[in-house]
Amino acid sequence: MKNKLSSLGGLVYSTEAGRMCPACRQPVAQCVCKQAVVPAGDGTVRVSRETKGRGGKAVTLVKGVALDAAGLAALGKQLKAACGTGGTVKDGVIEIQGDHIERVMAALIAQGHKVKRAGG
């Protein structure tokens, strides 16, 4: 019976601190597990084109941007508007539908990023 109780995740509420985060077991106000971690890189944004797994359709990929999740989403929205197409942000990579490498590079340089073309 002891094993089943410990597998429930531990303390959920404390009369001293209030609600507790189940992952880091800290008060929700001081939770450290949900904080955005800015990926550390070499400071160079890499722009490439990919067609693998997409039925032959080209997609422009933007990798290495040192922004948090909200900043990446905002930058992705700006790049999609600049290219006049759709796209998404997945796992720290901005995907723009179509072959728009030159437009994306120009938009990133205008914003002050150090940009490099990756791949062929």
Side-chain angles (χ1 to χ4, degrees):
M1 193 71 176
K2 185 178 180 182
N3 291 338
K4 288 185 178 184
L5 290 177
S6 64
S7 67
L8 293 175
L11 187 62
V12 176
Y13 188 86
S14 169
T15 55
E16 291 180 19
R19 261 206 177 298
M20 306 295 278
C21 175
C24 63
R25 300 182 192 252
Q26 297 292 325
V28 171
Q30 300 167 353
C31 178
V32 294
C33 61
K34 300 271 184 183
Q35 291 179 351
V37 177
V38 177
D42 60 355
T44 302
V45 178
R46 289 179 169 73
V47 181
S48 63
R49 181 178 158 271
E50 184 179 279
T51 58
K52 288 185 179 177
R54 303 176 199 283
K57 309 276 188 193
V59 174
T60 303
L61 300 176
V62 181
K63 299 178 184 176
V65 182
L67 295 173
D68 60 343
L72 271 178
L75 179 61
K77 187 172 182 177
Q78 291 172 358
L79 293 177
K80 290 187 293 185
C83 296
T85 186
T88 187
V89 178
K90 292 181 184 174
D91 300 326
V93 177
I94 300 172
E95 297 180 4
I96 306 293
Q97 294 174 356
D99 188 2
H100 300 286
I101 293 177
E102 299 304 324
R103 287 184 191 166
V104 169
M105 287 178 67
L108 289 171
I109 290 171
Q111 292 184 5
H113 294 283
K114 184 179 171 186
V115 182
K116 186 183 237 182
R117 183 175 180 153

